[in-house]
Each structure stands twice: as C-alpha cells, then as structure tokens.
C-alpha cells in the first residue's frame, strides 16, 4: 500500500517512540539501516522464523518451546498484544523470541537482511472484505516479493485465513509467480502438529472453514 512520505515519517516516529520497553523489544533507530538480528539472539540459534502479525503470541510461544535453536521475530503493531506475549514468554523463560512493533507493510524490508529467514508465518491477516479496501490487504504481489527476498532458498511461507475469497485470491497470487512452489495440494483445511491460536479456536468453534497454504521458495 502506497502512502505519502509524511505519513510514513509519522508511522516511523510512532514505531521508534513506544513507551513500552523490554530487552526483548527491538527498536530500530535509523530508517533504511539493516538490523543485525543475530546479535540480539543467544548463541546456538541456527534458524530464524518471522511472524507477521503475531497477535497474542500463542503460536510463537508454543513453537519457540519446541524449537529452542530457532530465533523467532514477532512483528505486531498493537503494543498491548506484545505486552501480553511478553508475559507468556517470561513465564515460559524463553530466550529465543524478540519483538518489533514496526508496521511491516511499510518498513520491514528496509530493516531486515535478505535471505535470513527459514520460515515466514502469516496467520489470519485482516481480510479487508470490501472491494474498495482490498488495497490494504497484506497479501499483495509487492509484499510477496519482499517476503521472497527475506526467505532463504528452500524457506517456507505459511499462510492461514478463514475468509474464502481471501484464500482464493492468495492462491491466485501464488499461481501467477514462478518463484514459489508447493508439494501436495495447493491448500488444506487442516494443519496437524501446529499450534492453534485463541482466534483460530474461536473460528473453528463457529464452524468456519480454515484455509492453510504452504509455499516453498525456489
């Protein structure tokens, strides 16, 4: 989504001037300067996962427990959700999670090194169902290009939504490019052995069909 430079500067100031502070929250100082993410994680971290829109953190917390050698960077715009996730992290005494409140739809490609991540997770992004709002959706061709650049060769993107039209649009988006591939079906209605968030549980209880997509970078 394109916005004016003035609005971008306001958003950047909001990102860097958060009143909340923890050693696990990364605050970028200079626009365009890449962060050495490895320097913020303990030794022994051999892989990295990026979650865009981590919500209340349930998924990342469970994954971090089972994958102690993976560093998890959670990007979430709502600070109250970061605070809630930090409480869960502290209780579990996890050292392999870090946060950023940066608005990734504008800034994250400026800050992160290319081919750094083994996995990018996007769970239930806002579907923006009205046609006039489709431009606000996260899954667009420009964003997919940015994610492609951040993933290592062979890295995975995991996507989930309960909104059928958004799922179909995302499937179409993947079909149009030739730099991601998939094995098996193009989508699934189940994702075994993967943590379930509170939001996802609610949708399932409502009888909503969940679409899961997994793609691999060539």
């Amino acid at each position: 989504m394109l916005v004016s430079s003035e609005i971008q500067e306001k958003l950047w100031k909001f990102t860097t001037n958060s009143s909340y502070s923890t050693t696990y929250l990364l605050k970028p100082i200079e626009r365009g300067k890449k962060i050495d993410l490895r320097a913020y994680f303990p030794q022994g971290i051999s892989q990295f996962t990026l979650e865009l829109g981590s919500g209340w953190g349930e998924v990342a917390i469970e994954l971090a427990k089972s994958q102690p050698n993976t560093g998890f960077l959670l990007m979430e715009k709502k600070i109250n959700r970061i605070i809630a996730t930090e409480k869960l992290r502290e209780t579990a005494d996890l050292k392999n999670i870090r946060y950023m409140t940066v608005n990734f739809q504008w800034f994250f490609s400026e800050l992160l090194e290319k081919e750094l991540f083994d996995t990018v997770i996007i769970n239930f992004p806002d579907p923006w169902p009205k046609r006039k709002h489709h431009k606000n959706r996260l899954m667009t061709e420009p964003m997919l290009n940015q994610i492609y650049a951040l993933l290592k060769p062979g890295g995975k993107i995991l996507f989930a939504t309960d909104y059928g039209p958004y799922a179909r649009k995302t499937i179409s988006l993947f079909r149009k490019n030739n730099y991601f591939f998939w094995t098996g079906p193009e989508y699934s209605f189940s994702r075994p052995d993967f943590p379930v968030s509170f939001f996802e549980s609610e949708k399932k209880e409502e009888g909503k069909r969940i679409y899961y997509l997994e793609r691999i970078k060539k």
Side-chain angles (χ1 to χ4, degrees):
M1 178 170 55
L2 297 177
V3 296
S4 69
S5 58
E6 181 181 357
I7 293 176
Q8 286 193 27
E9 287 303 319
K10 288 181 179 179
L11 289 167
W12 180 258
K13 289 179 180 178
F14 177 80
T15 294
T16 54
N17 294 332
S18 172
S19 59
Y20 178 67
S21 180
T22 169
T23 55
Y24 292 85
L25 177 64
L26 309 185
K27 291 187 178 181
I29 299 173
E30 181 181 343
R31 281 196 65 183
K33 185 176 181 179
K34 303 291 185 182
I35 291 176
D36 182 6
L37 195 61
R38 296 175 183 85
Y40 292 94
F41 283 87
Q43 290 186 351
I45 296 296
S46 57
Q47 299 187 77
F48 288 97
T49 290
L50 172 65
E51 184 171 10
L52 299 178
S54 55
W56 302 101
E58 306 100 324
V59 170
I61 291 293
E62 292 306 311
L63 289 174
K65 288 178 182 178
S66 63
Q67 301 176 34
N69 294 326
T70 297
F72 290 84
L73 178 60
L74 313 187
M75 285 191 166
E76 172 56 56
K77 292 176 285 188
K78 296 183 178 179
I79 197 65
N80 61 321
R81 295 180 177 181
I82 292 289
I83 294 171
T85 304
E86 172 59 10
K87 290 179 181 178
L88 294 175
R89 184 212 62 77
E90 189 174 21
T91 299
D93 193 28
L94 296 169
K95 309 299 185 186
N96 57 334
I97 286 179
R98 297 294 183 273
Y99 317 103
M100 290 182 72
T101 57
V102 71
N103 190 317
F104 45 82
Q105 285 185 264
W106 289 290
F107 300 124
F108 85 131
S109 64
E110 298 181 20
L111 300 171
L112 300 175
E113 297 175 12
K114 293 182 178 180
E115 298 192 348
L116 176 64
F117 294 96
D118 299 87
T119 306
V120 172
I121 300 171
I122 303 172
N123 275 331
F124 303 95
D126 193 328
W128 294 100
K130 293 183 179 180
R131 181 175 295 276
K132 64 180 180 179
H133 294 150
H134 285 185
K135 63 182 182 294
N136 298 326
R137 285 177 174 175
L138 177 60
M139 294 302 286
T140 62
E141 186 173 357
M143 177 56 69
L144 199 58
N145 289 336
Q146 292 185 61
I147 292 172
Y148 176 84
L150 293 179
L151 280 170
K152 296 177 182 177
K156 295 180 180 180
I157 176 171
L158 307 179
F159 175 83
T161 181
D162 64 303
Y163 188 59
Y166 197 8
R168 291 189 286 273
K169 187 67 176 180
T170 303
I171 291 169
S172 176
L173 182 64
F174 279 117
R175 285 176 178 173
K176 288 179 181 178
N177 70 70
N178 61 358
Y179 43 87
F180 284 100
F181 71 96
W182 62 92
T183 59
E186 285 190 285
Y187 61 92
S188 175
F189 295 128
S190 65
R191 188 161 60 181
D193 303 318
F194 196 86
V196 176
S197 68
F198 178 76
F199 178 83
E200 183 176 352
S201 296
E202 280 192 326
K203 293 300 179 182
K204 288 182 175 181
E205 289 176 4
E206 293 171 5
K208 294 289 184 66
R209 177 177 285 178
I210 312 295
Y211 298 80
Y212 302 100
L213 282 68
E214 179 176 318
R215 297 294 185 271
I216 303 169
K217 176 178 175 176
K218 289 184 179 179

